[in-house]
């Protein structure tokens, strides 16, 4: 089984980027989740659509395209494949708009895992019949999201956001987030063990990120994490969200992001320089949870196979850093290739 959180799936060649969608507020966040290259993010978007059933045909058409693309192009052995497809289908079942019935029947006619077949058959039983115009996947044009520059967010406003604030309140004060995705929240309960909750994560570049849980028909802020003081605004937007989590003050978030970076693997020097600097700035931490996360960042540098970090890792392994960081710096220090250009922490 594959444990990757990141999954890149190809766009169908019969579709083209020729139309724009101007979603707003929560619906823009859901659209971003549905267009994510991370199947777990897509699943979170499907769950949100299932719970809220927003009345926006454009958003549902986008979700139909997402379901088709994942179902027909994704690796069926991926850990998130079945669940993501199932939640997308469950959302359409709950939405009960008959213009999608023929589309779901098309999917059922394709070779499907048994779990997906069950959800498709249930959807076709429950969705009403329709005599009007049906959604046609071969005529759909991929929605290119219109995202306006954020002119509201700043550090003072970010600090003032209180726990318990709703997503609507946060967006009203800070504007649209620069990144969205899932936040895996682990909670240990007596007699039950550790439970995993898939919450919403939103990120504001150079400020930090927030974890929100869905409760009583609204997203509520549970946790706020600050990014390090490093400026990442010049980093390619594709990597800003990941980097913001890698250099945050939230140890579980760092570890989760490190796993994603290793799976890619992350090799871009401009991004990895920030990671290396963050390790150096925090190497003397007394917090064992943060030290554990920084050890994961050492793994990220090692996985990059970039010799730019060899001398840095050697220096780190002989420094007064936390013993766990020293332990995990030794491997990359030994195994990374030599290179002329070397990273030097400021």
């Amino acid at each position: 089984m594959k444990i990757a959180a990141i999954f890149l799936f190809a766009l169908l060649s019969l579709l083209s980027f020729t139309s724009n969608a101007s979603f707003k507020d929560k619906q823009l966040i859901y659209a971003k989740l549905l267009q994510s290259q991370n199947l777990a993010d897509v699943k979170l978007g499907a769950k949100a659509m299932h719970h809220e059933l927003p009345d926006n045909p454009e958003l549902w058409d986008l979700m139909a395209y997402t379901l088709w693309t994942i179902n027909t192009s994704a690796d069926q052995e991926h850990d998130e494949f079945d669940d993501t497809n199932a939640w997308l289908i469950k959302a359409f079942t709950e939405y009960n708009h008959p213009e999608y019935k023929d589309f779901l029947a098309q999917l059922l006619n394709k070779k499907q895992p048994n779990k997906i077949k069950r959800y498709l058959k249930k959807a076709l039983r429950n969705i009403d019949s329709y005599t009007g115009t049906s959604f046609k996947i071969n005529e759909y044009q991929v929605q290119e999201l219109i995202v306006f520059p954020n002119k509201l967010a700043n550090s003072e406003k970010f600090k003032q956001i209180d726990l318990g604030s709703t997503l609507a309140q946060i967006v009203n004060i800070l504007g649209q987030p620069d990144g969205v995705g899932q936040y895996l929240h682990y909670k240990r309960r007596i007699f039950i063990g550790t439970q995993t909750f898939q919450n919403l994560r939103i990120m504001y570049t150079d400020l930090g990120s927030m974890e929100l849980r869905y409760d009583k028909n609204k997203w509520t802020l549970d946790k706020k994490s600050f990014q390090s003081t490093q400026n990442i605004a010049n980093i390619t937007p594709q990597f800003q969200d990941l980097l913001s989590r890698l250099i945050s003050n939230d140890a579980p978030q760092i570890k989760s992001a490190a796993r994603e970076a290793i799976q890619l693997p992350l090799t871009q020097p401009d991004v990895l320089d920030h990671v290396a600097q963050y390790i150096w700035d925090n190497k003397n931490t007394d917090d064992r949870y943060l030290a554990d996360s920084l050890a994961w960042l050492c793994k990220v540098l090692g996985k990059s196979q970039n010799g730019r970090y060899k001398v840095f890792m050697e220096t780190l392994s002989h420094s007064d850093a936390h013993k766990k960081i020293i332990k995990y710096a030794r491997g990359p220090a030994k195994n990374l290739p030599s290179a002329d250009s070397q990273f030097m922490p400021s």
Side-chain angles (χ1 to χ4, degrees):
M1 296 293 287
K2 297 183 180 181
I3 60 173
I6 298 292
F7 178 78
L8 303 178
F9 51 83
L11 298 177
L12 299 182
S13 59
L14 53 86
L15 302 174
S16 60
F17 286 90
T18 57
S19 62
N20 295 327
S22 53
F23 301 118
K24 295 181 180 180
D25 304 326
K26 281 191 298 184
Q27 291 189 9
L28 178 56
I29 290 173
Y30 296 168
K32 287 181 177 180
L33 289 171
L34 293 174
Q35 287 198 340
S36 173
Q37 296 176 336
N38 185 331
L39 284 182
D41 292 350
V42 176
K43 181 171 70 174
L44 180 60
K47 286 181 178 181
M49 295 282 283
H50 174 270
H51 295 325
E52 293 195 11
L53 302 177
D55 186 18
N56 185 334
E58 276 192 326
L59 192 55
W60 287 97
D61 284 355
L62 172 62
M63 195 165 85
Y65 163 72
T66 300
L67 171 58
W68 180 272
T69 305
I70 292 174
N71 187 272
T72 58
S73 303
D75 180 357
Q76 294 191 3
E77 296 301 313
H78 192 284
D79 280 358
E80 295 283 4
F81 179 86
D82 282 1
D83 274 359
T84 302
N85 277 276
W87 273 103
L88 288 163
I89 296 165
K90 284 170 67 175
F92 279 110
T93 306
E94 189 70 20
Y95 188 51
N96 191 15
H97 272 229
E99 60 264 40
Y100 297 102
K101 191 164 187 173
D102 287 348
F103 161 71
L104 295 172
Q106 279 183 267
L107 282 176
L108 183 59
N109 288 333
K110 293 182 174 294
K111 186 178 180 180
Q112 301 286 356
N114 290 331
K115 180 176 180 178
I116 307 305
K117 283 183 181 179
R118 291 197 303 272
Y119 279 101
L120 285 169
K121 288 178 180 178
K122 181 179 179 181
L124 293 172
R125 286 196 305 269
N126 292 356
I127 296 176
D128 299 332
S129 298
Y130 189 54
T131 57
T133 303
S134 296
F135 172 81
K136 293 180 174 60
I137 184 62
N138 61 338
E139 295 180 2
Y140 178 71
Q141 294 179 323
V142 178
Q143 303 294 291
E144 186 173 8
L145 301 182
I146 299 174
V147 180
F148 297 101
N150 188 327
K151 297 181 179 180
L152 294 177
N154 59 49
S155 59
E156 289 305 314
K157 288 181 179 178
F158 190 87
K159 291 175 184 176
Q160 290 169 7
I161 301 294
D162 295 322
L163 299 184
S165 299
T166 65
L167 178 60
Q169 291 170 333
I170 295 168
V171 172
N172 184 56
I173 295 171
L174 296 178
Q176 275 293 329
D178 299 304
V180 301
Q182 69 160 345
Y183 188 107
L184 292 179
H185 181 88
Y186 302 96
K187 192 170 185 178
R188 189 177 298 277
R189 295 186 172 180
I190 300 175
F191 306 121
I192 297 177
T194 301
Q195 289 183 296
T196 304
F197 297 90
Q198 189 186 28
N199 291 336
L200 174 66
R201 172 184 52 78
I202 60 175
M203 183 277 290
Y204 292 89
T205 302
D206 288 333
L207 299 177
S209 59
M210 300 179 180
E211 175 195 359
L212 300 98
R213 59 184 168 83
Y214 196 75
D215 183 39
K216 298 179 180 178
N217 300 320
K218 63 180 181 294
W219 291 101
T220 304
L221 180 61
D222 256 4
K223 189 175 186 179
K224 182 168 64 172
S225 305
F226 293 90
Q227 185 190 300
S228 80
T229 55
Q230 298 183 46
N231 187 323
I232 67 170
N234 292 328
I235 295 296
T236 304
Q238 177 186 356
F239 296 106
Q240 281 185 1
D241 183 58
L242 178 59
L243 178 56
S244 177
R245 287 180 283 143
L246 288 169
I247 60 174
S248 75
N249 68 343
D250 181 1
Q253 182 170 233
I254 295 172
K255 188 185 295 187
S256 176
R259 289 192 178 105
E260 291 183 26
I262 290 168
Q263 181 63 36
L264 281 172
L266 185 64
T267 59
Q268 288 70 16
D270 59 337
V271 180
L272 294 174
D273 280 1
H274 285 282
V275 173
Q277 184 65 51
Y278 187 73
I279 297 172
W280 187 259
D281 291 343
N282 294 276
K283 63 184 175 64
N284 300 117
T285 181
D286 292 326
D287 184 332
R288 64 187 180 94
Y289 298 107
L290 179 58
D292 182 59
S293 295
L294 295 175
W296 274 90
L297 294 185
C298 292
K299 295 181 184 180
V300 172
L301 294 180
K303 184 66 175 179
S304 76
Q305 285 299 297
N306 191 329
R308 175 174 170 77
Y309 306 100
K310 183 178 182 67
V311 173
F312 168 71
M313 299 305 278
E314 289 173 348
T315 304
L316 189 63
S317 67
H318 292 96
S319 71
D320 58 350
H322 189 284
K323 61 181 180 180
K324 190 156 192 179
I325 298 171
I326 291 174
K327 175 183 177 181
Y328 282 89
R330 287 173 182 155
K334 178 181 178 181
N335 298 324
L336 284 174
S338 299
D340 293 334
S341 175
Q342 291 293 324
F343 170 80
M344 296 295 292
S346 59

